[in-house]
Structure formats: structure tokens, C-alpha cells
mmCIF file of all heavy atoms in Angstrom:
data_model
loop_
_atom_site.group_PDB
_atom_site.id
_atom_site.type_symbol
_atom_site.label_atom_id
_atom_site.label_comp_id
_atom_site.label_asym_id
_atom_site.label_seq_id
_atom_site.Cartn_x
_atom_site.Cartn_y
_atom_site.Cartn_z
ATOM 1 N N ASN A 750 0.795 -1.232 0.000
ATOM 2 C CA ASN A 750 0.000 0.000 0.000
ATOM 3 C C ASN A 750 0.827 1.281 0.000
ATOM 4 O O ASN A 750 0.401 2.275 0.556
ATOM 5 C CB ASN A 750 -0.971 0.017 1.191
ATOM 6 C CG ASN A 750 -1.885 -1.178 1.173
ATOM 7 O OD1 ASN A 750 -1.572 -2.180 1.790
ATOM 8 N ND2 ASN A 750 -2.977 -1.093 0.451
ATOM 9 N N GLN A 751 1.984 1.255 -0.588
ATOM 10 C CA GLN A 751 2.775 2.466 -0.748
ATOM 11 C C GLN A 751 3.805 2.196 -1.834
ATOM 12 O O GLN A 751 4.107 1.045 -2.134
ATOM 13 C CB GLN A 751 3.477 2.858 0.546
ATOM 14 C CG GLN A 751 4.530 1.866 0.987
ATOM 15 C CD GLN A 751 5.091 2.204 2.347
ATOM 16 O OE1 GLN A 751 4.342 2.387 3.304
ATOM 17 N NE2 GLN A 751 6.393 2.288 2.445
ATOM 18 N N LEU A 752 4.308 3.238 -2.430
ATOM 19 C CA LEU A 752 5.344 3.061 -3.438
ATOM 20 C C LEU A 752 6.661 2.720 -2.756
ATOM 21 O O LEU A 752 7.006 3.302 -1.736
ATOM 22 C CB LEU A 752 5.492 4.340 -4.266
ATOM 23 C CG LEU A 752 4.234 4.775 -5.028
ATOM 24 C CD1 LEU A 752 4.486 6.068 -5.783
ATOM 25 C CD2 LEU A 752 3.746 3.685 -5.976
ATOM 26 N N SER A 753 7.381 1.761 -3.335
ATOM 27 C CA SER A 753 8.646 1.345 -2.729
ATOM 28 C C SER A 753 9.791 1.263 -3.735
ATOM 29 O O SER A 753 10.922 1.034 -3.346
ATOM 30 C CB SER A 753 8.473 -0.005 -2.027
ATOM 31 O OG SER A 753 8.120 -1.007 -2.959
ATOM 32 N N ILE A 754 9.497 1.453 -5.007
ATOM 33 C CA ILE A 754 10.567 1.486 -6.004
ATOM 34 C C ILE A 754 11.214 2.862 -5.919
ATOM 35 O O ILE A 754 10.545 3.884 -6.064
ATOM 36 C CB ILE A 754 10.037 1.223 -7.421
ATOM 37 C CG1 ILE A 754 9.491 -0.202 -7.521
ATOM 38 C CG2 ILE A 754 11.125 1.462 -8.466
ATOM 39 C CD1 ILE A 754 8.807 -0.525 -8.842
ATOM 40 N N THR A 755 12.513 2.880 -5.687
ATOM 41 C CA THR A 755 13.212 4.157 -5.536
ATOM 42 C C THR A 755 14.006 4.455 -6.810
ATOM 43 O O THR A 755 13.443 4.895 -7.793
ATOM 44 C CB THR A 755 14.079 4.162 -4.265
ATOM 45 O OG1 THR A 755 15.003 3.070 -4.321
ATOM 46 C CG2 THR A 755 13.228 4.033 -3.006
ATOM 47 N N THR A 756 15.297 4.199 -6.804
ATOM 48 C CA THR A 756 16.137 4.565 -7.951
ATOM 49 C C THR A 756 16.460 3.390 -8.870
ATOM 50 O O THR A 756 16.951 3.591 -9.967
ATOM 51 C CB THR A 756 17.460 5.204 -7.463
ATOM 52 O OG1 THR A 756 18.132 4.273 -6.622
ATOM 53 C CG2 THR A 756 17.186 6.487 -6.700
ATOM 54 N N LYS A 757 16.211 2.152 -8.421
ATOM 55 C CA LYS A 757 16.441 0.988 -9.285
ATOM 56 C C LYS A 757 15.179 0.750 -10.111
ATOM 57 O O LYS A 757 14.250 0.076 -9.687
ATOM 58 C CB LYS A 757 16.795 -0.254 -8.465
ATOM 59 C CG LYS A 757 17.139 -1.454 -9.348
ATOM 60 C CD LYS A 757 17.338 -2.715 -8.530
ATOM 61 C CE LYS A 757 17.682 -3.917 -9.366
ATOM 62 N NZ LYS A 757 16.757 -4.234 -10.437
ATOM 63 N N ILE A 758 15.164 1.348 -11.289
ATOM 64 C CA ILE A 758 14.011 1.232 -12.191
ATOM 65 C C ILE A 758 14.499 0.539 -13.451
ATOM 66 O O ILE A 758 15.375 1.039 -14.150
ATOM 67 C CB ILE A 758 13.431 2.623 -12.520
ATOM 68 C CG1 ILE A 758 12.981 3.316 -11.227
ATOM 69 C CG2 ILE A 758 12.281 2.492 -13.517
ATOM 70 C CD1 ILE A 758 12.575 4.761 -11.414
ATOM 71 N N ASP A 759 13.929 -0.627 -13.736
ATOM 72 C CA ASP A 759 14.357 -1.400 -14.894
ATOM 73 C C ASP A 759 13.467 -1.182 -16.115
ATOM 74 O O ASP A 759 13.919 -1.372 -17.241
ATOM 75 C CB ASP A 759 14.410 -2.886 -14.523
ATOM 76 C CG ASP A 759 15.450 -3.147 -13.441
ATOM 77 O OD1 ASP A 759 16.636 -2.849 -13.688
ATOM 78 O OD2 ASP A 759 15.077 -3.605 -12.344
ATOM 79 N N ARG A 760 12.228 -0.833 -15.891
ATOM 80 C CA ARG A 760 11.312 -0.444 -16.970
ATOM 81 C C ARG A 760 10.438 0.677 -16.418
ATOM 82 O O ARG A 760 10.168 0.716 -15.224
ATOM 83 C CB ARG A 760 10.447 -1.623 -17.419
ATOM 84 C CG ARG A 760 11.229 -2.657 -18.210
ATOM 85 C CD ARG A 760 10.359 -3.779 -18.760
ATOM 86 N NE ARG A 760 9.266 -3.283 -19.563
ATOM 87 C CZ ARG A 760 8.256 -4.050 -20.024
ATOM 88 N NH1 ARG A 760 8.236 -5.338 -19.755
ATOM 89 N NH2 ARG A 760 7.281 -3.551 -20.730
ATOM 90 N N GLU A 761 9.990 1.568 -17.295
ATOM 91 C CA GLU A 761 9.171 2.693 -16.837
ATOM 92 C C GLU A 761 8.277 3.205 -17.951
ATOM 93 O O GLU A 761 8.531 2.955 -19.129
ATOM 94 C CB GLU A 761 10.062 3.828 -16.335
ATOM 95 C CG GLU A 761 10.910 4.453 -17.425
ATOM 96 C CD GLU A 761 11.935 5.433 -16.893
ATOM 97 O OE1 GLU A 761 12.744 5.025 -16.031
ATOM 98 O OE2 GLU A 761 11.942 6.584 -17.353
ATOM 99 N N HIS A 762 7.231 3.904 -17.550
ATOM 100 C CA HIS A 762 6.377 4.589 -18.511
ATOM 101 C C HIS A 762 7.262 5.539 -19.314
ATOM 102 O O HIS A 762 8.121 6.214 -18.737
ATOM 103 C CB HIS A 762 5.291 5.375 -17.755
ATOM 104 C CG HIS A 762 4.305 6.036 -18.656
ATOM 105 N ND1 HIS A 762 4.583 7.211 -19.321
ATOM 106 C CD2 HIS A 762 3.040 5.687 -18.992
ATOM 107 C CE1 HIS A 762 3.529 7.566 -20.031
ATOM 108 N NE2 HIS A 762 2.577 6.652 -19.853
ATOM 109 N N PRO A 763 7.084 5.613 -20.637
ATOM 110 C CA PRO A 763 7.985 6.438 -21.446
ATOM 111 C C PRO A 763 7.997 7.926 -21.078
ATOM 112 O O PRO A 763 8.968 8.623 -21.364
ATOM 113 C CB PRO A 763 7.500 6.229 -22.881
ATOM 114 C CG PRO A 763 6.224 5.483 -22.787
ATOM 115 C CD PRO A 763 6.108 4.886 -21.431
ATOM 116 N N LYS A 764 6.966 8.405 -20.428
ATOM 117 C CA LYS A 764 6.922 9.823 -20.052
ATOM 118 C C LYS A 764 6.923 10.024 -18.539
ATOM 119 O O LYS A 764 6.540 11.076 -18.047
ATOM 120 C CB LYS A 764 5.692 10.492 -20.675
ATOM 121 C CG LYS A 764 5.760 10.509 -22.194
ATOM 122 C CD LYS A 764 4.633 11.295 -22.799
ATOM 123 C CE LYS A 764 4.804 11.301 -24.313
ATOM 124 N NZ LYS A 764 3.730 12.025 -24.970
ATOM 125 N N LEU A 765 7.373 9.011 -17.790
ATOM 126 C CA LEU A 765 7.372 9.062 -16.331
ATOM 127 C C LEU A 765 8.131 10.280 -15.805
ATOM 128 O O LEU A 765 7.615 11.054 -15.002
ATOM 129 C CB LEU A 765 7.991 7.776 -15.773
ATOM 130 C CG LEU A 765 8.094 7.672 -14.264
ATOM 131 C CD1 LEU A 765 6.726 7.379 -13.662
ATOM 132 C CD2 LEU A 765 9.073 6.559 -13.884
ATOM 133 N N LYS A 766 9.343 10.459 -16.261
ATOM 134 C CA LYS A 766 10.194 11.552 -15.769
ATOM 135 C C LYS A 766 9.733 12.896 -16.323
ATOM 136 O O LYS A 766 9.722 13.899 -15.599
ATOM 137 C CB LYS A 766 11.652 11.275 -16.106
ATOM 138 C CG LYS A 766 12.198 10.075 -15.354
ATOM 139 C CD LYS A 766 13.598 9.708 -15.797
ATOM 140 C CE LYS A 766 14.039 8.432 -15.074
ATOM 141 N NZ LYS A 766 15.199 7.832 -15.686
ATOM 142 N N GLU A 767 9.328 12.899 -17.581
ATOM 143 C CA GLU A 767 8.842 14.141 -18.202
ATOM 144 C C GLU A 767 7.614 14.680 -17.452
ATOM 145 O O GLU A 767 7.507 15.875 -17.187
ATOM 146 C CB GLU A 767 8.500 13.854 -19.667
ATOM 147 C CG GLU A 767 7.928 15.008 -20.450
ATOM 148 C CD GLU A 767 7.528 14.566 -21.853
ATOM 149 O OE1 GLU A 767 8.283 13.797 -22.489
ATOM 150 O OE2 GLU A 767 6.439 14.987 -22.291
ATOM 151 N N TYR A 768 6.696 13.799 -17.094
ATOM 152 C CA TYR A 768 5.495 14.201 -16.370
ATOM 153 C C TYR A 768 5.842 14.746 -14.987
ATOM 154 O O TYR A 768 5.313 15.771 -14.551
ATOM 155 C CB TYR A 768 4.528 13.019 -16.260
ATOM 156 C CG TYR A 768 3.214 13.358 -15.605
ATOM 157 C CD1 TYR A 768 2.264 14.137 -16.254
ATOM 158 C CD2 TYR A 768 2.918 12.899 -14.325
ATOM 159 C CE1 TYR A 768 1.058 14.456 -15.652
ATOM 160 C CE2 TYR A 768 1.715 13.201 -13.708
ATOM 161 C CZ TYR A 768 0.787 13.982 -14.383
ATOM 162 O OH TYR A 768 -0.407 14.293 -13.773
ATOM 163 N N ALA A 769 6.766 14.075 -14.306
ATOM 164 C CA ALA A 769 7.194 14.535 -12.977
ATOM 165 C C ALA A 769 7.848 15.910 -13.075
ATOM 166 O O ALA A 769 7.603 16.792 -12.247
ATOM 167 C CB ALA A 769 8.157 13.525 -12.360
ATOM 168 N N LYS A 770 8.653 16.099 -14.090
ATOM 169 C CA LYS A 770 9.344 17.381 -14.267
ATOM 170 C C LYS A 770 8.339 18.493 -14.584
ATOM 171 O O LYS A 770 8.424 19.588 -14.028
ATOM 172 C CB LYS A 770 10.382 17.251 -15.380
ATOM 173 C CG LYS A 770 11.416 18.335 -15.379
ATOM 174 C CD LYS A 770 12.525 18.007 -16.362
ATOM 175 C CE LYS A 770 13.517 19.142 -16.396
ATOM 176 N NZ LYS A 770 14.564 18.924 -17.379
ATOM 177 N N SER A 771 7.357 18.201 -15.435
ATOM 178 C CA SER A 771 6.366 19.213 -15.816
ATOM 179 C C SER A 771 5.488 19.637 -14.638
ATOM 180 O O SER A 771 4.926 20.730 -14.645
ATOM 181 C CB SER A 771 5.494 18.712 -16.970
ATOM 182 O OG SER A 771 4.613 17.686 -16.533
ATOM 183 N N ASN A 772 5.364 18.781 -13.632
ATOM 184 C CA ASN A 772 4.578 19.106 -12.436
ATOM 185 C C ASN A 772 5.428 19.712 -11.320
ATOM 186 O O ASN A 772 4.908 19.993 -10.244
ATOM 187 C CB ASN A 772 3.868 17.856 -11.918
ATOM 188 C CG ASN A 772 2.620 17.546 -12.702
ATOM 189 O OD1 ASN A 772 1.636 18.278 -12.614
ATOM 190 N ND2 ASN A 772 2.656 16.490 -13.498
ATOM 191 N N GLY A 773 6.726 19.852 -11.556
ATOM 192 C CA GLY A 773 7.602 20.425 -10.547
ATOM 193 C C GLY A 773 7.966 19.464 -9.425
ATOM 194 O O GLY A 773 8.454 19.889 -8.380
ATOM 195 N N TRP A 774 7.768 18.165 -9.641
ATOM 196 C CA TRP A 774 8.070 17.166 -8.614
ATOM 197 C C TRP A 774 9.535 16.742 -8.642
ATOM 198 O O TRP A 774 10.040 16.161 -7.686
ATOM 199 C CB TRP A 774 7.206 15.915 -8.794
ATOM 200 C CG TRP A 774 5.733 16.161 -8.764
ATOM 201 C CD1 TRP A 774 5.076 17.227 -8.193
ATOM 202 C CD2 TRP A 774 4.737 15.321 -9.328
ATOM 203 N NE1 TRP A 774 3.732 17.090 -8.378
ATOM 204 C CE2 TRP A 774 3.483 15.929 -9.077
ATOM 205 C CE3 TRP A 774 4.760 14.129 -10.030
ATOM 206 C CZ2 TRP A 774 2.285 15.374 -9.494
ATOM 207 C CZ3 TRP A 774 3.568 13.566 -10.456
ATOM 208 C CH2 TRP A 774 2.342 14.190 -10.173
ATOM 209 N N TRP A 775 10.186 16.949 -9.796
ATOM 210 C CA TRP A 775 11.570 16.525 -9.995
ATOM 211 C C TRP A 775 12.267 17.580 -10.827
ATOM 212 O O TRP A 775 11.702 18.067 -11.824
ATOM 213 C CB TRP A 775 11.574 15.169 -10.679
ATOM 214 C CG TRP A 775 12.911 14.592 -10.996
ATOM 215 C CD1 TRP A 775 13.914 14.300 -10.126
ATOM 216 C CD2 TRP A 775 13.397 14.222 -12.289
ATOM 217 N NE1 TRP A 775 14.996 13.765 -10.798
ATOM 218 C CE2 TRP A 775 14.697 13.700 -12.124
ATOM 219 C CE3 TRP A 775 12.858 14.263 -13.574
ATOM 220 C CZ2 TRP A 775 15.464 13.230 -13.194
ATOM 221 C CZ3 TRP A 775 13.611 13.798 -14.633
ATOM 222 C CH2 TRP A 775 14.914 13.290 -14.435
ATOM 223 N N ASP A 776 13.476 17.935 -10.440
ATOM 224 C CA ASP A 776 14.190 19.015 -11.135
ATOM 225 C C ASP A 776 14.926 18.556 -12.381
ATOM 226 O O ASP A 776 15.457 19.378 -13.139
ATOM 227 C CB ASP A 776 15.157 19.730 -10.185
ATOM 228 C CG ASP A 776 16.275 18.828 -9.668
ATOM 229 O OD1 ASP A 776 16.450 17.702 -10.182
ATOM 230 O OD2 ASP A 776 16.970 19.265 -8.731
ATOM 231 N N GLY A 777 14.968 17.261 -12.655
ATOM 232 C CA GLY A 777 15.648 16.758 -13.836
ATOM 233 C C GLY A 777 17.144 16.612 -13.658
ATOM 234 O O GLY A 777 17.833 16.148 -14.562
ATOM 235 N N GLU A 778 17.652 17.006 -12.510
ATOM 236 C CA GLU A 778 19.098 16.946 -12.284
ATOM 237 C C GLU A 778 19.488 15.887 -11.258
ATOM 238 O O GLU A 778 20.383 15.092 -11.496
ATOM 239 C CB GLU A 778 19.620 18.315 -11.863
ATOM 240 C CG GLU A 778 19.486 19.340 -12.980
ATOM 241 C CD GLU A 778 20.037 20.699 -12.603
ATOM 242 O OE1 GLU A 778 20.849 20.788 -11.672
ATOM 243 O OE2 GLU A 778 19.615 21.673 -13.252
ATOM 244 N N LYS A 779 18.815 15.874 -10.113
ATOM 245 C CA LYS A 779 19.176 14.868 -9.116
ATOM 246 C C LYS A 779 18.675 13.502 -9.586
ATOM 247 O O LYS A 779 17.810 13.407 -10.463
ATOM 248 C CB LYS A 779 18.635 15.218 -7.732
ATOM 249 C CG LYS A 779 17.131 15.202 -7.609
ATOM 250 C CD LYS A 779 16.710 15.575 -6.201
ATOM 251 C CE LYS A 779 15.196 15.611 -6.127
ATOM 252 N NZ LYS A 779 14.710 16.050 -4.840
ATOM 253 N N GLU A 780 19.246 12.437 -8.986
ATOM 254 C CA GLU A 780 18.858 11.089 -9.382
ATOM 255 C C GLU A 780 17.352 10.914 -9.202
ATOM 256 O O GLU A 780 16.774 11.314 -8.196
ATOM 257 C CB GLU A 780 19.622 10.063 -8.531
ATOM 258 C CG GLU A 780 19.372 8.643 -8.944
ATOM 259 C CD GLU A 780 20.217 7.634 -8.179
ATOM 260 O OE1 GLU A 780 20.580 7.915 -7.014
ATOM 261 O OE2 GLU A 780 20.498 6.572 -8.731
#
């Protein structure tokens, strides 16, 4: 009942990081 995948990501949604960046959740620089 919670997210537990941190930095070891072997497959991902093709726009996972782009979406996070567009919402201001991730700066695109840190891991």
C-alpha cells in the first residue's frame, strides 16, 4: 500500500520523468 521502487528502475512509462518534471516534482538533475 505504498510506493517502494526508488532509484532501481528497470522499466518505466515512457513519459514518467517528463510528467514529474512538468509538475515540478523533480528538477531533472538529481537522481
Side-chain angles (χ1 to χ4, degrees):
N750 302 93
Q751 66 187 53
L752 300 179
S753 62
I754 295 174
T755 57
T756 58
K757 184 186 180 305
I758 300 172
D759 297 300
R760 288 185 55 189
E761 65 188 56
H762 184 282
K764 295 186 178 179
L765 179 75
K766 293 174 184 165
E767 178 185 318
Y768 184 72
K770 197 171 177 183
S771 71
N772 280 291
W774 302 338
W775 178 59
D776 64 11
E778 294 182 20
K779 66 180 177 184
E780 185 175 29

